[in-house]
Amino acid sequence: MLSTIIRRLLQTVVVVLVMSALVFAGLYLVGDPVSMLASPEATDAERELIRQSLGLNLPLWHQYFIFLSKAAHLDFGNSFLTGEPAMRLILDRMPATLELATVAMLLSLLIGVPLGIYAGLKPESVSARSIMTGSVLGFSLPNFWVGLMLIMVFAVMLGWLPAGGRGPVESFGPIQLSVFSLEGWRNLILPAATIATAKCALIIRVTRAATRECLPLDYIKFARAKGLTERRVLGLHLLKNILIPIITIGGLEYGQVFAFAVVTETVFSWPGMGKLLIDSIITLDRPVVVAYLMLTVVFLALLNLAVDIAYTILDPRVRLGGGS
């Protein structure tokens, strides 16, 4: 397994290099950041001075290799707008995004897995059909619309929860979290529910399909024939075997939420990385955008590796690298 992990880490390095080249070239084609930074009354000489100070007068390949040499030391340059290190700006926002993504996925799993199992056990019942209809609805509704409706109902009409922002945070070393106070949860629950609506619908459908597939198999029949209680059959034999597709979907969706919770963070003014990315794209702040995407690629690659390792723990027949 160690050799496979090393091989996958090397693959991650290649992916990051390719991604960095694509992102760098793409941002170069989008526009000239000097037009955003310089005053409209600035002369050509002043604009050229800004361009030279940021290193934008160099050829693209030269700028890219300077970027790579600094990135090897975790230095992604300074923000064009604030002058602060780009990675520090992102790391300051990361706990908020991680907190939102983690709570949203936990909500999805805690609600979606039991409902999916129930829908798989009693597929013809009215309640199971209602669950599946609700999952289609939750899967189809746009994220921003769900968020706006939640704000309208719970913040504007009922006044129970705040419409945006993040609650008070507590520091745990370099990490600041808001889940340890009631006020923090009041701010967190609406954006988390917005993301969880679509993810829960997906988890329900995957869990139901896996349950329907496992129920006719011999080990379930054998467990029931031995006289085991239904709770033990479902909790031990069924749940263990349907966890692999759930972990696959859950892991990939967690990565997606972490990397692309842009819409939800914008709707709820959640001070996470997604909102920082949007602001940086609008102002063509290249160092921040590139650092964000690099961090995202590394995170997703490591998350996929963690999912693969989880396979082998749950099912020893599965071997990393495709062997058996």
Side-chain angles (χ1 to χ4, degrees):
M1 181 182 292
L2 181 61
S3 62
T4 304
I5 293 174
I6 293 174
R7 187 171 67 248
R8 293 294 299 274
L9 288 175
L10 291 176
Q11 291 173 352
T12 301
V13 173
V14 175
V15 170
V16 170
L17 286 174
V18 173
M19 185 69 184
S20 67
L22 292 175
V23 169
F24 211 86
L27 287 176
Y28 183 84
L29 295 174
V30 167
D32 185 5
V34 175
S35 62
M36 305 291 294
L37 299 173
S39 165
E41 292 80 21
T43 63
D44 289 342
E46 290 171 333
R47 291 174 183 274
E48 185 60 26
L49 193 60
I50 294 174
R51 188 169 283 106
Q52 290 178 9
S53 66
L54 298 176
L56 299 175
N57 59 321
L58 300 173
L60 179 61
W61 64 268
H62 195 174
Q63 294 182 43
Y64 177 66
F65 280 106
I66 291 175
F67 162 75
L68 280 185
S69 62
K70 289 184 176 179
H73 300 88
L74 297 180
D75 178 6
F76 290 88
N78 295 336
S79 165
F80 289 165
L81 295 181
T82 65
E84 297 180 59
M87 185 53 73
R88 193 173 73 189
L89 286 174
I90 294 171
L91 292 179
D92 286 345
R93 302 289 191 97
M94 185 189 290
T97 298
L98 271 177
E99 188 175 59
L100 176 61
T102 303
V103 172
M105 285 310 301
L106 286 177
L107 276 177
S108 305
L109 292 170
L110 290 175
I111 297 172
V113 172
L115 291 181
I117 292 177
Y118 180 82
L121 291 174
K122 300 180 179 180
E124 302 302 329
S125 66
V126 175
S127 50
R129 290 179 183 276
S130 301
I131 291 171
M132 297 312 296
T133 303
S135 72
V136 174
L137 192 63
F139 195 71
S140 306
L141 293 174
N143 243 11
F144 72 90
W145 188 86
V146 174
L148 291 176
M149 290 302 102
L150 290 177
I151 290 175
M152 181 63 69
V153 174
F154 293 100
V156 177
M157 296 174 65
L158 299 176
W160 291 350
L161 298 169
R166 195 183 185 200
V169 297
E170 295 184 24
S171 297
F172 295 87
I175 301 176
Q176 293 184 326
L177 299 173
S178 65
V179 293
F180 297 100
S181 68
L182 179 61
E183 192 61 27
W185 275 102
R186 292 184 73 243
N187 287 76
L188 177 60
I189 194 65
L190 286 186
T194 300
I195 296 174
T197 299
K199 305 307 175 189
C200 182
L202 184 61
I203 295 293
I204 288 175
R205 301 189 74 80
V206 170
T207 305
R208 179 188 181 275
T211 301
R212 297 295 300 159
E213 186 178 341
C214 286
L215 281 179
L217 297 182
D218 289 341
Y219 66 87
I220 296 291
K221 296 177 181 177
F222 186 68
R224 284 174 169 161
K226 286 197 303 182
L228 297 181
T229 62
E230 191 67 9
R231 176 177 295 183
R232 188 169 176 80
V233 172
L234 298 181
L236 181 63
H237 297 281
L238 176 67
L239 186 60
K240 182 180 178 182
N241 286 279
I242 66 174
L243 276 181
I244 289 180
I246 295 174
I247 286 178
T248 304
I249 295 299
L252 295 176
E253 292 300 315
Y254 181 66
Q256 289 290 319
V257 173
F258 172 79
F260 307 115
V262 176
V263 175
T264 304
E265 290 187 357
T266 303
V267 170
F268 288 93
S269 299
W270 188 260
M273 297 192 304
K275 193 169 186 307
L276 175 65
L277 175 66
I278 290 295
D279 295 341
S280 301
I281 290 175
I282 292 173
T283 56
L284 292 178
D285 199 348
R286 289 181 190 171
V288 177
V289 177
V290 174
Y292 173 90
L293 293 174
M294 292 301 97
L295 184 68
T296 300
V297 170
V298 172
F299 178 81
L300 291 177
L302 294 178
L303 189 62
N304 284 332
L305 177 61
V307 170
D308 287 345
I309 293 174
Y311 284 174
T312 62
I313 296 173
L314 288 171
D315 188 350
R317 294 172 301 174
V318 179
R319 290 289 180 266
L320 295 176
S324 63

